[in-house]
Amino acid sequence: MAKFASGALLEGVKLDPNSQSPLYRQLYIGIRKLILSGDLPPGTKLPASRTIATELEVSRTTVINTIEQMISEGFLETRRGSGTYVTQRLSEMTEFYQTSVEDDPESDEEDPNLSLSKRGQGYADLPHEYEPEGIYTFRPSQPAYELLPHDTFSRLTNRYQRKPKDEYLTYSDRGGYMPLREAISSYLKASRSVRCSPEQIIITSGTQTALNLASQLLIDPGDNVWMEDPGHTAARCVFQGSGAKVVPIPIDEHGFNPALCPEEERNKPVKLAYVTPSSQHPLGRRMPLTRRIKLLEWAQQNNTWIFEDDYNSEFRYTGRPLSALQGLDKSGRVLYVSSFTKILYPGLRLGYMVVPKSMVEAFAHASTILQRSTPLLTQQIIADFINEGFFATHMRKMRKIYHQRQQILLEAAEIHLKDLVEMSAVDQGFHCNAWLPDHADPEMVEGTLRAAGYAVNNIAYYCMKPYQRNGIMIGFAGTPEDKIPEGVRGMAKILREIL
């Protein structure tokens, strides 16, 4: 014989008409709690919808909508000519449902046996960088957002969005939108001496995606990866997350030098070496031709891949941009990577990787699995941006402005920071390094400046082993000219108090 839910029992359902949660949702949760707690056991017949509505002082429509939802989810069932019942099948799952924490998350704790994978925990434990808000951010890698060609982007966007064709609404080709790959190929050949066909270019959502692709396809857990020290922390995190053993290689005046490898690692195989030859990150040192050739010889002798991160080559302030290491490679072992992060803005999420001809199919196929594709609209806009000359014009303009901003920073530093830090010009990039006195605590300096709104970075953050000097990175590209002197004065005031 069916049990009946009394009106008194349903009065345990509390509804608040002033709550932001709709009444039907409150009623749903209330009845479900009674079911899950066992107060409405399987087989119990519910009162008629009109009765529930009257007792709870809600509309019958609200009750009907709630009951229909719970029937569709399997909590309730109807019997022709008889009424609505708590589903009998729930009796087999009563113990599980009665321990549910979904409706009362504070009453129970999550299962302590749930855990991340070893790789997941490794990622969680890796260092990460945060960026505080502030007026004078001096953020090292930030371009000038206020000078982006928004009007041009709008016109190019409308070209595809006004009446989009069906093919504009689907995924792009494997490896990326071919007109963009062709435009990048032409640009790289002319300005960076990169040797590639459009097919060798894989469009990515940035350098991190390229790093992940390379690590997934080229590195097995336990493989040795050599990295510049100090070097790009985010790259190191990707390699460590893939299970590689990252070996720090000290930097000399010409950048990465395999000869400086620690003695205990010298005779071990090296699967990949990560380098930034055009402007070593974060020290800004340039790798000369002789070192580049020696590096390629070393890589060939040791059967080692080279990952060339050419992260800001377009912004060289003395002479033409340096030729890429990839253009000197004759054995097809250099992966060349760059992005539009610094040229335009990070939120664009657009980059590219030039892979050897023998690896094109593998990388193109893997990219469709691991990242699917960068939004086709974005690729179309940037392809037109390059092909119609806007890209070259924007670069010339920004190169001049960034150089000017660096000069303003150095002039202000000469006046206000001269006796506090040692700072000199860079011939490429978005930041200058300010070297602190030997007695300074760089973590305290960074923390104090960040608390005041200056997004400087401690150089030690990029180091795997202690570096010989303490310093901070001060960005100049993303701070307007009229804000730089005032920002330097404020920074100097803080440094005088803590140094």
Side-chain angles (χ1 to χ4, degrees):
M1 183 174 180
K3 292 169 282 192
F4 289 84
S6 67
L9 183 58
L10 288 180
E11 287 178 0
V13 177
K14 302 298 181 182
L15 305 181
D16 180 6
N18 297 318
S19 172
Q20 293 184 350
S21 177
L23 286 174
Y24 78 86
R25 182 64 182 172
Q26 295 181 53
L27 180 59
Y28 167 88
I29 292 175
I31 296 176
R32 190 174 67 170
K33 279 185 176 181
L34 294 176
I35 295 174
L36 296 182
S37 67
D39 291 328
L40 286 179
T44 301
K45 182 178 180 180
L46 264 63
S49 60
R50 192 181 305 276
T51 302
I52 296 175
T54 300
E55 292 183 354
L56 297 181
E57 298 181 348
V58 296
S59 72
R60 188 168 176 238
T61 301
T62 297
V63 176
I64 293 174
N65 289 340
T66 302
I67 290 175
E68 289 179 348
Q69 176 68 27
M70 300 192 77
I71 291 173
S72 68
E73 293 185 6
F75 287 100
L76 302 176
E77 62 184 9
T78 58
R79 300 176 188 174
R80 183 181 296 274
S82 178
T84 303
Y85 295 79
V86 177
T87 304
Q88 191 67 48
R89 294 189 300 273
L90 288 176
S91 60
E92 301 174 1
M93 300 176 278
T94 301
E95 182 179 352
F96 170 77
Y97 277 117
Q98 288 181 358
T99 60
S100 173
V101 300
E102 181 178 355
D103 292 318
D104 193 4
E106 296 182 359
S107 65
D108 296 280
E109 295 182 358
E110 293 182 358
D111 189 336
N113 295 315
L114 297 172
S115 63
L116 296 170
S117 66
K118 290 182 179 180
R119 174 173 290 185
Q121 190 59 54
Y123 277 121
D125 293 339
L126 290 170
H128 66 281
E129 184 178 357
Y130 67 95
E131 297 185 346
E133 297 296 328
I135 299 174
Y136 311 115
T137 61
F138 289 120
R139 187 169 285 120
S141 299
Q142 179 178 305
Y145 297 143
E146 76 279 8
L147 298 177
L148 289 171
H150 295 296
D151 291 341
T152 301
F153 287 155
S154 295
R155 290 196 302 272
L156 296 178
T157 301
N158 289 337
R159 180 180 298 174
Y160 294 98
Q161 289 286 71
R162 187 174 292 112
K163 291 184 178 180
K165 299 178 181 179
D166 289 349
E167 57 265 31
Y168 295 169
L169 306 177
T170 185
Y171 298 111
S172 63
D173 299 333
R174 284 204 322 157
Y177 181 54
M178 184 53 71
L180 176 59
R181 297 161 77 184
E182 292 170 348
I184 292 174
S185 176
S186 297
Y187 162 71
L188 291 177
K189 291 176 183 177
S191 67
R192 307 293 295 115
S193 299
V194 169
R195 301 191 303 172
C196 68
S197 65
E199 290 74 19
Q200 289 177 257
I201 295 174
I202 306 295
I203 301 300
T204 70
S205 59
T207 299
Q208 289 301 106
T209 301
L211 283 162
N212 188 48
L213 274 172
S215 65
Q216 293 291 331
L217 270 68
L218 304 180
I219 298 173
D220 292 315
D223 283 345
N224 287 330
V225 171
W226 284 13
M227 278 200 66
E228 305 164 329
D229 189 28
H232 193 346
T233 304
R236 179 185 4 136
C237 290
V238 172
F239 294 133
Q240 289 177 332
S242 69
K245 177 185 177 182
V246 177
V247 179
I249 306 299
I251 297 301
D252 63 17
E253 68 274 15
H254 297 313
F256 184 84
N257 186 355
L260 298 179
C261 169
E263 185 66 33
E264 64 273 15
E265 300 289 341
R266 193 151 293 175
N267 295 320
K268 297 180 181 179
V270 184
K271 179 59 70 73
L272 182 144
Y274 172 91
V275 296
T276 51
S278 294
S279 179
Q280 198 280 324
H281 184 75
L283 301 184
R285 295 172 184 173
R286 175 172 57 88
M287 185 181 291
L289 179 61
T290 53
R291 172 68 59 83
R292 294 175 182 231
I293 293 175
K294 288 182 179 180
L295 176 59
L296 290 170
E297 290 175 346
W298 167 83
Q300 187 167 357
Q301 292 167 2
N302 291 274
N303 194 29
T304 299
W305 290 98
I306 294 179
F307 190 101
E308 180 182 8
D309 188 349
D310 203 22
Y311 64 100
N312 64 8
S313 61
E314 289 83 5
F315 298 106
R316 182 169 176 79
Y317 309 120
T318 56
R320 291 177 55 82
L322 301 173
S323 298
L325 180 68
Q326 190 269 2
L328 300 171
D329 175 34
K330 296 182 179 180
S331 57
R333 63 182 62 254
V334 175
L335 303 174
Y336 176 90
V337 176
S338 190
S339 77
F340 294 92
T341 295
K342 306 297 188 300
I343 302 172
L344 297 171
Y345 58 96
L348 192 65
R349 305 313 309 141
L350 187 66
Y352 52 91
M353 173 166 51
V354 180
V355 302
K357 293 179 180 179
S358 61
M359 296 286 172
V360 166
E361 280 301 310
F363 271 85
H365 182 63
S367 70
T368 64
I369 297 173
L370 296 177
Q371 68 165 2
R372 192 54 188 179
S373 66
T374 301
L376 179 58
L377 175 63
T378 302
Q379 297 186 59
Q380 292 170 323
I381 293 169
I382 300 304
D384 290 353
F385 189 74
I386 296 173
N387 290 328
E388 296 177 26
F390 299 115
F391 179 80
T393 300
H394 181 70
M395 277 201 305
R396 287 194 297 268
K397 171 187 173 182
M398 301 314 297
R399 190 182 296 122
K400 181 179 179 180
I401 290 174
Y402 292 155
H403 190 202
Q404 180 181 354
R405 291 185 176 184
Q406 180 186 193
Q407 294 303 312
I408 295 173
L409 172 65
L410 293 172
E411 290 170 4
E414 179 68 20
I415 297 172
H416 303 289
L417 298 175
K418 185 175 182 180
D419 57 338
L420 297 171
V421 301
E422 178 186 332
M423 191 160 62
S424 58
V426 294
D427 57 12
Q428 182 171 312
F430 281 17
H431 73 268
C432 293
N433 292 324
W435 301 106
L436 300 169
D438 292 339
H439 67 271
D441 180 346
E443 289 187 9
M444 187 268 286
V445 170
E446 178 192 44
T448 304
L449 289 173
R450 283 188 165 224
Y454 297 92
V456 299
N457 290 345
N458 181 0
I459 289 178
Y461 170 77
Y462 301 90
C463 301
M464 286 177 273
K465 293 185 176 180
Y467 190 59
Q468 57 194 8
R469 301 186 71 181
N470 296 323
I472 56 175
M473 298 163 58
I474 302 178
F476 53 81
T479 304
E481 291 88 337
D482 60 334
K483 300 294 184 182
I484 294 175
E486 184 180 352
V488 171
R489 286 194 296 271
M491 186 182 297
K493 182 179 178 181
I494 295 172
L495 291 177
R496 291 188 190 282
E497 294 174 354
I498 63 177
L499 292 182

